[in-house]
Amino acid sequence: MVEFFIFLLLLLLALLGLSETICVFVNWLLKPKCQAQKYLLIFLTKGFAEQQLLQATENLNWRGNIVANRILAYVGDIDAEEKEMLSRRFEYNKNIVFTDVVQIKGI
């Protein structure tokens, strides 16, 4: 009987993945009471900005706040016409912040 339970435990760990189980457990132990705000910074490319932003929003919708809470989209490299189209297309999505300026110190 004990061998059966050990076999089931090993089978469960094999299905879930031992490393994933350890990762979830450690993250659960280290989880702070107040989560930090996380932003996904993407640099949009001229001509592909809408597809890139759609992919980033789908990623955010699928994974939730594990990856990020909001998307910070750098639109400095695209033209005004495409910026206007993006702002109209994503005007109701409050999780996207468009910016022309990004300052990252230490890089």
Side-chain angles (χ1 to χ4, degrees):
M1 190 67 171
V2 173
E3 293 173 353
F4 178 73
F5 285 112
I6 291 174
F7 175 76
L8 284 179
L9 179 65
L10 289 175
L11 183 62
L12 177 67
L13 289 176
L15 291 174
L16 296 177
L18 182 60
S19 62
E20 184 66 24
T21 304
I22 292 170
C23 180
V24 168
F25 181 69
V26 169
N27 283 332
W28 178 73
L29 285 176
L30 298 176
K31 182 179 177 181
K33 292 181 181 179
C34 180
Q35 295 288 330
Q37 288 292 316
K38 296 176 278 187
Y39 286 86
L40 175 63
L41 174 62
I42 60 173
F43 292 87
L44 299 175
T45 307
K46 184 178 180 179
F48 301 100
E50 184 178 10
Q51 293 94 358
Q52 291 171 340
L53 205 50
L54 283 171
Q55 190 271 335
T57 55
E58 186 60 32
N59 191 11
L60 189 66
N61 289 338
W62 184 257
R63 296 180 187 213
N65 62 359
I66 293 172
V67 173
N69 300 99
R70 299 180 83 189
I71 297 172
L72 185 60
Y74 176 71
V75 292
D77 295 336
I78 61 177
D79 55 11
E81 217 175 83
E82 199 167 6
K83 287 179 192 177
E84 179 63 31
M85 187 272 303
L86 288 175
S87 64
R88 279 193 319 251
R89 170 76 168 83
F90 296 99
E91 68 182 328
Y92 298 112
N93 192 335
K94 302 301 180 199
N95 291 327
I96 300 174
V97 177
F98 294 105
T99 183
D100 288 338
V101 179
V102 175
Q103 283 185 325
I104 302 173
K105 295 183 180 182
I107 292 180

